[in-house]
Amino acid sequence: MNALEWQGDSLKIIDQTKLPLFLSYIVCSDYERIVQAIRRLEVRGAPAIGACAAFALVLAARKNACLPKPDFLNALRAAKVEIAGARPTAVNLFWALERVWRRAADNENDVAKTADAMEAEAVAIFNEDIAANKKIGEYGAAVLPEKCAVLTHCNAGALATCGWGTALGVIRAAFSQGKITMVYADETRPLLQGARITAWELVEDNIPVTLVTDSTAGWVMKKDLAQVIITGADRIALNGDTANKIGTFTLAVLAKRHNIPFYIAAPVSTIDFSIKTGEEIPIEERAAEEVRSVLGASVAPETVKVFNPAFDVTPNELISAIITEKGLLYPPYEGKISSLKE
Ligand code: MRU
């Protein structure tokens, strides 16, 4: 199950807004369609949108490969600004764009060769993400108890990444070792990534899953139904403060109250080495309509005011460990996170 498939001259993505009712695909043959797909959440999840941004810049390069290098770079600069504006919180998007941009801006004057190098970089980002997820899965599974039920939020699975998943990567690896008795999936309002995508991925993989409303999570912990919480991340600051899907902070507070380990699983590409704390993380606010309705059906007065942040920030002191492809980081995070910068 792959969210993305690079086809050489286009990017094929699963339309995640249609899941689980329809497994349908969108073929993006220009960068503008990828930007639209990221904005609409047809493709979502921090590592997946990072890879999409990388391939978007490659498509922009192919489109402008007839221009002399200075004009080519000007056209790419404009495309890069547009791609960077697709979503603000997941740092993977900016990280991947910069990696591919560096290939564009190197000393090669042959534009076709430059575009080839950019494509190779985007493909490397894609492959490295799958390898990172596998490592995260191994490291994470190793610290889980012999038998446990896990609660997760949103979707940090194969569809949120280039394959396998971060939080779900840990769950997949631990399940294959016989450690997982149950996964509790929060439905994750407003857009129901937990119900629509996490539950679907786990059902497809025959991993036992129980869907709960977001407001049931505290009771799940109180009743000792889940012994571990694992979520993904969209941006991690140098002190360990972590942005993830709205509701993650609430889970971390509840986990502390019930003495349950709360893990963040994320690749190093999700660390923002330029920011000291979570205060500096830009939080996306999305349309009011997402809250006033459920799957297109209105559930609130049409004119009611809405507050719809897509993410919240969990302070580092609530995070038991951050599971990366380089191993587990335990608090205090200062110094340990910055040492991961290559
Ligand atoms: O708004 P979304 O669906 O893009 O939010 C996704 C999340 O919050 C994920 O937990 C995060 O990106 C990690 S994906 C491995």
Side-chain angles (χ1 to χ4, degrees):
M1 192 187 321
N2 277 335
L4 321 172
E5 190 189 323
W6 176 241
Q7 301 189 308
D9 57 356
S10 58
L11 183 68
K12 187 174 166 190
I13 62 174
I14 292 181
D15 182 351
Q16 298 190 35
T17 63
K18 300 282 193 306
L19 289 173
L21 294 182
F22 305 101
L23 178 55
S24 55
Y25 297 86
I26 299 166
V27 176
C28 307
S29 36
D30 53 41
Y31 81 86
E32 291 92 341
R33 185 63 187 88
I34 297 182
V35 170
Q36 189 179 50
I38 295 172
R39 283 187 198 282
R40 290 178 174 172
L41 271 56
E42 288 161 340
V43 61
R44 27 75 43 209
I49 64 178
C52 281
F55 286 119
L57 202 58
V58 174
L59 288 179
R62 293 284 179 217
K63 184 174 160 190
N64 292 289
C66 52
L67 300 175
K69 186 88 186 238
D71 299 344
F72 169 82
L73 284 182
N74 281 339
L76 282 198
R77 257 185 218 104
K80 185 171 170 250
V81 169
E82 246 183 275
I83 299 164
R87 288 191 83 186
T89 303
V91 78
N92 306 61
L93 187 151
F94 310 97
W95 165 86
L97 258 184
E98 277 313 313
R99 260 184 76 165
V100 178
W101 170 253
R102 278 202 293 275
R103 293 291 169 169
D106 68 11
N107 290 328
E108 176 58 65
N109 273 329
D110 182 325
V111 170
K113 280 191 188 154
T114 302
D116 287 346
M118 291 170 67
E119 179 176 355
E121 190 72 21
V123 170
I125 287 170
F126 179 89
N127 290 330
E128 285 167 23
D129 185 60
I130 299 174
N133 288 340
K134 290 280 168 98
K135 276 284 176 205
I136 289 169
E138 268 175 44
Y139 285 126
V143 293
L144 295 193
E146 278 315 302
K147 292 278 174 212
C148 63
V150 177
L151 185 137
T152 189
H153 191 63
C154 193
N155 172 262
L159 293 180
T161 61
C162 298
W164 193 245
T166 57
L168 289 198
V170 174
I171 288 168
R172 286 193 163 97
F175 179 72
S176 73
Q177 297 167 11
K179 288 185 163 184
I180 302 288
T181 55
M182 181 55 69
V183 180
Y184 286 89
D186 280 353
E187 61 180 358
T188 317
R189 271 285 280 153
L191 296 176
L192 301 171
Q193 288 93 330
R196 297 186 303 101
I197 308 173
T198 294
W200 183 72
E201 278 197 31
L202 294 174
V203 166
E204 288 288 305
D205 273 7
N206 292 312
I207 297 176
V209 53
T210 300
L211 182 63
V212 291
T213 63
D214 299 340
S215 41
T216 304
W219 197 238
V220 166
M221 295 185 217
K222 169 78 181 158
K223 301 300 271 178
D224 191 28
L225 296 176
Q227 294 77 42
V228 180
I229 320 285
I230 314 175
T231 76
D234 282 81
R235 196 185 287 231
I236 301 172
L238 288 178
N239 71 345
D241 292 352
T242 295
N244 190 49
K245 179 53 58 193
I246 189 77
T248 304
F249 166 59
T250 316
L251 289 182
V253 173
L254 285 164
K256 187 78 154 183
R257 166 75 171 79
H258 295 97
N259 222 359
I260 292 175
F262 178 88
Y263 295 117
I264 293 288
V268 173
S269 56
T270 301
I271 297 170
D272 185 343
F273 292 98
S274 74
I275 60 168
K276 290 203 176 91
T277 77
E279 289 290 318
E280 295 169 75
I281 300 177
I283 300 294
E284 176 182 12
E285 278 200 41
R286 293 188 59 89
E289 213 30 56
E290 291 182 353
V291 177
R292 291 196 205 112
S293 62
V294 177
L295 299 178
S298 185
V299 292
E302 261 175 43
T303 54
V304 71
K305 261 191 162 171
V306 165
F307 176 46
N308 185 20
F311 303 97
D312 56 27
V313 177
T314 299
N316 60 64
E317 66 267 20
L318 298 179
I319 300 170
S320 310
I322 301 173
I323 308 166
T324 77
E325 71 274 31
K326 306 277 184 203
L328 268 81
L329 303 175
Y330 290 97
Y333 297 107
E334 270 94 357
K336 293 177 191 156
I337 293 182
S338 55
S339 74
L340 295 180
K341 191 173 170 151
E342 276 145 0

